[in-house]
Amino acid sequence: MRVAVVGAGVVGLSTTVALLGQGADVVCYDRGRPMGERSVGGSRIFRLAHTDAELVDLAIRSRRMYDAWSRDAAEELIDDTETVVSGPDVSAWAAAMSAAGARHSVVGPTSPLLRLPAGEIPAQSLVDHAGGVVRAARVGAYLRSVTSSVVREATVFAVEETTGGVRVRSSTSAEVFDAAVVCAGAATSGLAAQVGIYTPPDLNHHVRFTFALRQGSERERFQCWISRSSDGLDTYQHLSGPGEWAVGAHVGRDDVRWEAGRDHATQASRRVVTGYVRRYLTAVDPQVRELLHCTTTPGLDDGYRVLRRGRVLAVYGDNLFKLAPVLGRRLAGAALDGSTPPSTGMHRTAPVGGDEPADGRG
Ligand SMILES: Cc1cc2nc3c(=O)[nH]c(=O)nc-3n(C[C@H](O)[C@H](O)[C@H](O)COP(=O)(O)OP(=O)(O)OC[C@H]3O[C@@H](n4cnc5c(N)ncnc54)[C@H](O)[C@@H]3O)c2cc1C
């Protein structure tokens, strides 16, 4: 079968790897540098921990695939630092971990199992022993090396159903395929709508900040940390490199909505995150060293949704890096056998207006 994959982020490249593994004839299009948009940067958090047992199970499978890719790449793609989730609803995370049979510990703030750069730790934490830092740049290098012969630098303008195929019109060609998978990140909504698949079109700005660990802490192997602080701020943070600590926060929607502009979103996020670092992270120097911009889809939580219309599949979701190997394999299988993979997770965390997707069709 000839399959087009639109987008060479971590999801598109994982799908391409799986399609190649099944013997498909694949073209993976990207309008820029592969892994250059939402998958950009050197690190992400990996965790089995989710509040939904199905997602824990998917993450277990994903971890196995990352381990297999690590062997293939001859370098570790995940650093085993563990991931900690702290806050008021730890019991929900623990219940999902238990239901999926994932190893974890629920501990208090003074537990010796915690290695965190903070002076104040919430009353309850869950330690996900299989969590850690995804070395995103290494993953990108590995995936690019496996897929280089089929990745094409071209902007896709149109995806059209024709009799007997799906035509992909790009800046370099117009070609007909047996199936197409649209995993174009922020651009998925516009492309998928051309064939009647409607995914959330709204975008938010998001900025992650990197800081230096203070002298004396720069060699610590801190755990990745997802936490709600005592003043109610949700953050995610991890060792993004030697002596480097990356922090992102869930900043108020008004400050990060698309129309507010990137500069406004950056300033507001910087204020919130540096304030948080000053207040809570005793081992971190609050001077911003580096920032990473990206877009997110408002209101999504962990998980993904796959929609089909005829020969075209489209996928969207949030926090997809950790699940990408298994999601890619599912998308590849579905492209080849005409099925639609079940959607998983995707609880909405905040009310959003007018972007509820139509259900999958076909
Ligand atoms: C700062 C930050 C922190 C994050 N933290 C985590 C984390 O800790 N854990 C986790 O699991 N996830 C995390 N995520 C989310 C995760 O990185 C993304 O969900 C994932 O990388 C999305 O991959 P993707 O392939 O769907 O999208 P993308 O990486 O955006 O890939 C889409 C690709 O499509 C291409 N494209 C778009 N339009 C066209 C077109 N018309 N023609 C051709 N090509 C096109 C783009 O160039 C792009 O390369 C984080 C993201 C960011 C930015």
Side-chain angles (χ1 to χ4, degrees), residues 21 29 52 110 157 159 231 238 290 297 345:
Y29 295 89
D52 175 331
T110 56
F157 299 121
V159 179
D231 54 4
H238 64 278
E290 201 179 286
T297 302

Coordinates of all heavy atoms in Angstrom, one line a residue, residues 21 29 52 110 157 159 231 238 290 297 345:
G21 N 8.0 -0.6 8.8 CA 8.2 -2.0 9.4 C 7.2 -3.0 8.8 O 7.4 -4.2 8.8
Y29 N 5.6 13.8 4.6 CA 5.8 15.2 4.2 C 6.0 16.1 5.4 O 5.4 15.9 6.5 CB 4.6 15.8 3.5 CG 4.2 15.1 2.2 CD1 3.3 14.0 2.2 CD2 4.6 15.6 1.0 CE1 3.0 13.4 1.0 CE2 4.3 15.0 -0.2 CZ 3.4 13.9 -0.2 OH 3.1 13.3 -1.4
D52 N -6.0 7.7 34.2 CA -6.9 6.8 33.5 C -6.0 5.5 33.2 O -4.9 5.6 32.7 CB -7.2 7.5 32.2 CG -8.0 6.7 31.2 OD1 -7.8 5.5 31.2 OD2 -8.7 7.3 30.4
T110 N 8.3 14.2 53.4 CA 9.6 14.0 53.9 C 10.2 12.6 53.5 O 11.2 12.2 54.0 CB 9.7 14.1 55.4 OG1 8.7 13.1 56.0 CG2 9.3 15.5 55.9
F157 N -0.6 21.3 0.8 CA -1.7 22.3 0.8 C -3.1 21.7 0.8 O -4.0 22.3 1.3 CB -1.6 23.1 -0.6 CG -0.3 23.9 -0.7 CD1 0.6 23.6 -1.7 CD2 0.1 24.8 0.3 CE1 1.8 24.3 -1.8 CE2 1.3 25.5 0.2 CZ 2.2 25.3 -0.9
V159 N -5.5 17.9 0.9 CA -5.7 16.4 1.0 C -7.1 16.2 0.5 O -8.0 16.7 1.0 CB -5.6 15.9 2.5 CG1 -5.8 14.4 2.6 CG2 -4.2 16.3 3.1
D231 N -0.3 27.4 46.3 CA -1.2 28.5 45.8 C -1.9 28.1 44.5 O -2.4 29.0 43.8 CB -0.4 29.8 45.7 CG 0.9 29.6 44.9 OD1 1.1 28.5 44.3 OD2 1.7 30.6 44.8
H238 N 11.5 19.2 35.0 CA 12.4 18.1 34.9 C 13.9 18.5 34.6 O 14.1 19.7 34.2 CB 12.0 17.1 33.8 CG 12.0 17.6 32.4 ND1 10.9 18.4 31.9 CD2 12.9 17.5 31.4 CE1 11.2 18.8 30.7 NE2 12.4 18.2 30.4
E290 N 16.9 29.9 29.1 CA 16.5 29.5 27.7 C 15.0 29.4 27.7 O 14.4 29.0 28.8 CB 17.1 28.2 27.4 CG 17.2 27.8 26.0 CD 17.9 26.4 25.9 OE1 19.1 26.4 26.1 OE2 17.2 25.5 25.6
T297 N -3.3 22.9 22.1 CA -4.7 23.0 21.8 C -5.4 23.2 23.2 O -5.3 22.4 24.1 CB -5.2 21.7 21.1 OG1 -4.4 21.6 19.9 CG2 -6.7 21.8 20.8
G345 N -8.3 8.7 26.7 CA -8.1 9.9 27.5 C -8.8 11.1 27.0 O -10.0 11.0 26.7

